[in-house]
Amino acid sequence: MSIDFNEDPHRRYNILTGEWILVSPHRNKRPWQGKVEEKQDKKKESYDPKCYLCPGNTRASGAVTPEYTDTYAFINDYSALLPDSPTDEIVDGLLRAKGERGICKVICFSPDHSLTLADMSREAIANVIRLWQKEYKELGTQEDINHVQIFENKGAMMGCSNPHPHGQIWSQSSIPNEVLKKSHHQKEYWEDKGESLLSAYLQQEIDAQERIIYANEECAVLVPYWATWPYEAMIIPRRHMRDISEMTDVEVVGYSDALKVLTVKFDRLFDTSFPYSAGIHQAPTDGADYDYWHWHMTFYPPLLRSATVRKFMVGYEMFANAQRDITAEMAAAQLRDL
Ligand code: H2U
């Protein structure tokens, strides 16, 4: 008896994290009588006098956001990590703690309050990518910074505090959990096969054409085989690069095109400004040899079946492991066709 991926419960393996996910495609028709969110999309003005990220406005800390015209990065006024905190380690029986240093930044994508990445031109998105490259390099070369996490929380549903187009960077001295897992599995593959894990995976996806949403000469956009969130997607550069600073300008333009296409498709899916948490995973910056790292960007969007019905990671997901109903192939087909 072999699995029918459209009908039979099965588990799929995440080659990057080494974790399993439960897929239950036969549950697709289950009724939903739970929470329905209020649809958030309201027409926004290009300038909001109360927004702390709009040019010329005063932030909550009293600092003034300058009259920027393109992108703008500043140290988070409420940084979760600080550059000069103590670093000693405390061990008390079974209790362990260690001081952690870091630098947190806020990255404004555009001076225009009404936009999101999906509304921005490819050229404007390329400027955001150039800023990410600059920040990765500058933060990564600092003494106490061994990892740089670039991310965006989009939409109130994902905890975003302000609709002005922006993302964040948290950089720190230790290497975070998700990155450690991905380092371990990429290294293992590299040592075994002498090739980047994601180069091999991408080739398999390109051959299969089942989960690819979009591709250009520089990057591919796909729903990973092991996707957890309903419309989870990944952007993978075709060339094996450890981090985004290695991209040529042609690759930056290709990446901006991939970002544009994916975010527009997301918005069209449920005719809403699609919420998500997106992040770039790339080589740590502690100076060790990370030749096996292949940078990629992952989108975790919470919406399940409409602009107002979301997936909750609760119950079994919290206590056992992640689970999904629609398969990666179903989600990819929907996004590809838009
Ligand atoms: P989020 O929307 O993803 O929460 O990001 C906004 C960040 O902006 C948040 O981390 C910071 C918050 O600390 N912030 C400032 O740095 N200055 C302010 O005046 C308000 C918010």
Side-chain angles (χ1 to χ4, degrees):
M1 241 170 88
S2 69
I3 311 169
D4 176 346
F5 281 147
N6 292 319
E7 290 294 338
D8 301 325
H10 59 278
R11 300 207 305 161
R12 293 195 189 189
Y13 182 67
N14 183 333
I15 56 172
L16 284 168
T17 63
E19 286 159 358
W20 290 88
I21 151 134
L22 178 64
V23 187
S24 315
H26 59 294
R27 272 172 110 230
N28 276 325
K29 291 177 201 72
R30 85 190 163 112
W32 178 260
Q33 292 183 317
K35 184 171 164 57
V36 174
E37 312 276 341
E38 211 175 298
K39 211 174 160 197
Q40 298 280 349
D41 298 359
K42 292 190 197 94
K43 179 92 192 76
K44 287 190 285 168
E45 300 295 335
S46 289
Y47 171 74
D48 177 351
K50 292 198 287 301
C51 167
Y52 54 81
L53 301 181
C54 276
N57 290 356
T58 303
R59 300 204 293 273
S61 63
V64 175
T65 300
E67 294 281 356
Y68 64 101
T69 53
D70 181 18
T71 54
Y72 170 56
F74 64 94
I75 302 273
N76 196 315
D77 299 311
Y78 306 94
S79 295
L81 294 146
L82 300 168
D84 44 14
S85 44
T87 56
D88 45 326
E89 190 163 5
I90 309 234
V91 180
D92 173 13
L94 288 173
L95 313 181
R96 278 177 71 182
K98 179 154 184 2
E100 179 77 358
R101 286 193 173 160
I103 300 170
C104 298
K105 292 188 120 175
V106 180
I107 305 288
C108 299
F109 297 160
S110 163
D112 188 332
H113 185 82
S114 67
L115 302 181
T116 66
L117 279 181
D119 308 314
M120 287 165 57
S121 69
R122 285 168 173 75
E123 194 38 42
I125 297 173
N127 282 335
V128 174
I129 297 170
R130 290 183 190 111
L131 180 59
W132 286 339
Q133 289 180 300
K134 176 173 167 284
E135 291 292 338
Y136 173 81
K137 271 194 274 188
E138 280 181 13
L139 289 164
T141 46
Q142 299 211 26
E143 171 93 22
D144 288 322
I145 303 299
N146 295 321
H147 182 261
V148 178
Q149 184 60 58
I150 297 171
F151 65 97
E152 178 192 4
N153 293 321
K154 182 180 168 225
M157 199 183 272
M158 287 312 277
C160 178
S161 61
N162 180 333
H164 193 107
H166 71 282
Q168 296 193 50
I169 300 180
W170 290 20
S171 61
Q172 64 188 108
S173 47
S174 66
I175 301 173
N177 300 340
E178 289 302 296
V179 180
L180 285 177
K181 283 186 247 173
K182 290 189 173 185
S183 278
H184 174 79
H185 291 279
Q186 290 184 100
K187 185 168 190 235
E188 210 172 55
Y189 190 87
W190 177 263
E191 284 172 355
D192 187 28
K193 307 273 189 211
E195 183 190 12
S196 129
L197 175 62
L198 283 187
S199 292
Y201 173 63
L202 188 53
Q203 193 53 55
Q204 191 171 341
E205 288 293 9
I206 287 168
D207 293 344
Q209 287 294 323
E210 272 184 296
R211 286 163 294 273
I212 300 274
I213 302 169
Y214 177 73
N216 58 30
E217 301 260 295
E218 292 75 32
C219 311
V221 186
L222 52 84
V223 178
Y225 187 70
W226 53 85
T228 300
W229 292 90
Y231 294 93
E232 180 172 327
M234 263 173 104
I235 298 180
I236 306 177
R238 287 184 189 257
R239 188 164 71 88
H240 169 209
M241 287 173 270
R242 283 165 303 184
D243 62 70
I244 57 169
S245 76
E246 291 176 53
M247 263 187 290
T248 63
D249 211 54
V250 171
E251 284 166 333
V252 168
V253 171
Y255 179 22
S256 75
D257 172 60
L259 267 168
K260 173 80 183 176
V261 171
L262 177 62
T263 53
V264 167
K265 280 176 179 285
F266 273 158
D267 280 4
R268 295 219 178 129
L269 188 61
F270 297 130
D271 182 29
T272 193
S273 184
F274 204 68
Y276 57 71
S277 212
I280 301 171
H281 272 152
Q282 49 189 332
T285 56
D286 58 357
D289 176 8
Y290 287 110
D291 279 350
Y292 53 85
W293 251 95
H294 191 137
W295 78 262
H296 52 279
M297 184 174 197
T298 308
F299 288 74
Y300 297 134
L303 290 180
L304 177 59
R305 63 180 75 180
S306 74
T308 56
V309 174
R310 63 164 295 171
K311 159 112 186 136
F312 287 95
M313 287 289 179
V314 294
Y316 180 82
E317 282 99 335
M318 278 182 150
F319 292 99
N321 67 224
Q323 183 273 345
R324 64 183 285 123
D325 292 350
I326 63 165
T327 64
E329 296 72 44
M330 293 171 192
Q334 272 180 281
L335 287 165
R336 192 167 47 236
D337 292 347
L338 285 165

